[in-house]
Amino acid sequence: MIDRTEIFPNVIEMNYQARKRLGCCVYLVFDGPDWMLIDIGYEDTVAEIIELIRQMDFALANCKYLVATHADVDHIQGLKKAKELLPQAETVGHPESSRLLKEGDRIVTYAEISAQDISIDLPTLSLDRTINEGDKLALGSKSLDVWHTPGHTEGMLSFRLDNLLFCADNIYRDGCVGNIDAHHGSDIPAFIESLTRIRESDVEWLLPSHGPPFRKDNAQLDSTIARLDGYQHMADFGTCAVDWPLLDEWEDEVARGVLPK
Ligand SMILES: [Zn+2]
C-alpha cells in the first residue's frame, strides 16, 4: 500500500503520485470507491500507472471511465492497453477523437511526423461512447461537466469538477497553448472562443494536460487571447490565419505603382 497524494480533494495526478515525469498529465478523479482517468498517455507507462493505482488501494474493477481529452498520440496511445487491463471502464471522448482513433489517423494524431522522423505506433480503438458539450460524467456523488473546447484540435474536451477545470491543451502555466497546426485540425478563432469561455467562467484552478496545475489568472488569459488574436492576422501559422493585412497593403501598392524604396 502507498499513500495517495491528492493535489486537490478527490484528484490525484499520476506524475505527482509517482514523483517522476511519466508523460502527459494523467488525472485520477475519485469519489468513494469509484474512480476515472483523464488521459492515459503513452502505452509504455500504462502498466506502471495501473500498478500504482492498485497500490493506492483503488479496486481496478471500479474504474468508471477512461477519458480521451483529444486524440493526440501522447495522450491516447495507451488507451487500448488500459482498456484491456480495465475492461469494465467505459472509454469516452469527443466524436472527432472517436473517428481519429477508429481510423487510426496517423497525421492528425501526430503518430507520424515524417519531417522529424517521428513514426510511432497508434493502436486503433473504438470508443465505447462519444461525449460532447453539455454531457455529464457521473462519478459516485459527483459529476463532471463536459465542455467542448476546440482550437488546438477539433475534438478537444475539458472537464469541470466544482472549482476545477481539467483544461487539456488549452493553456499551460506559462501562458503557452497547445500547438497550432492546420494539419492537426487547429482553428485559431475557435481557440480564442475556448480561452474566452475559460476566462469568463468562475473556475478557480486550471489542470492542464501538460505541466503543473495553476490558478486561473484572467490577466494571463487576456494576454494569451491577445497573442492568438494577433496570430489570426499574421503569416506565422499559415492557413490558420483568417487574413494577412500585408497582402492587402501590397495589392494596393502594386496597383498604385509604388516601388520598393
Ligand atoms: Zn497534448
Side-chain angles (χ1 to χ4, degrees), residues 8 144-145 147 149 158-167 170-171 194-208 214-218 221:
F8 293 96
L144 283 81
D145 296 331
W147 289 16
T149 50
S158 300
F159 300 88
R160 181 171 182 163
L161 174 68
D162 304 323
N163 64 340
L164 311 178
L165 184 72
F166 298 92
C167 66
N170 279 293
I171 186 165
S194 295
L195 291 167
T196 302
R197 177 181 185 183
I198 292 169
R199 187 206 184 283
E200 303 296 304
S201 76
D202 60 358
V203 303
E204 292 176 73
W205 289 92
L206 299 177
L207 288 76
F214 57 106
R215 203 177 267 281
K216 179 165 92 84
D217 173 354
N218 284 349
L221 277 156

Side-chain angles (χ1 to χ4, degrees), residues 33-54:
D34 293 343
W35 58 282
M36 61 185 278
L37 291 179
I38 299 177
D39 286 337
I40 183 61
Y42 285 117
E43 192 175 80
D44 63 0
T45 50
V46 171
E48 181 178 359
I49 287 170
I50 293 178
E51 175 57 18
L52 268 176
I53 293 170
R54 196 189 60 74

Side-chain angles (χ1 to χ4, degrees), residues 7 13 15-16 21-27 38-42 69-77 109-110 152-153 156-157 165-179 184 191 206-214 220:
I7 57 168
E13 194 287 315
N15 293 257
Y16 281 98
R21 201 175 133 195
L22 298 164
C24 77
C25 297
V26 178
Y27 292 104
I38 299 177
D39 286 337
I40 183 61
Y42 285 117
T69 59
H70 60 303
D72 283 3
V73 69
D74 55 327
H75 296 246
I76 53 76
Q77 191 199 36
T109 60
Y110 283 148
H152 169 60
T153 67
M156 174 76 77
L157 297 177
L165 184 72
F166 298 92
C167 66
D169 285 352
N170 279 293
I171 186 165
Y172 312 113
R173 191 174 73 180
D174 61 0
C176 286
V177 300
N179 74 310
H184 187 242
F191 216 146
L206 299 177
L207 288 76
S209 289
H210 300 282
F214 57 106
Q220 181 191 52

Side-chain angles (χ1 to χ4, degrees), residues 6 53 68 90 95 98 105 121 160 211 223 231 242:
E6 283 181 62
I53 293 170
E90 194 178 20
S98 173
D105 188 317
D121 195 36
R160 181 171 182 163
S223 87
Y231 297 159
V242 298

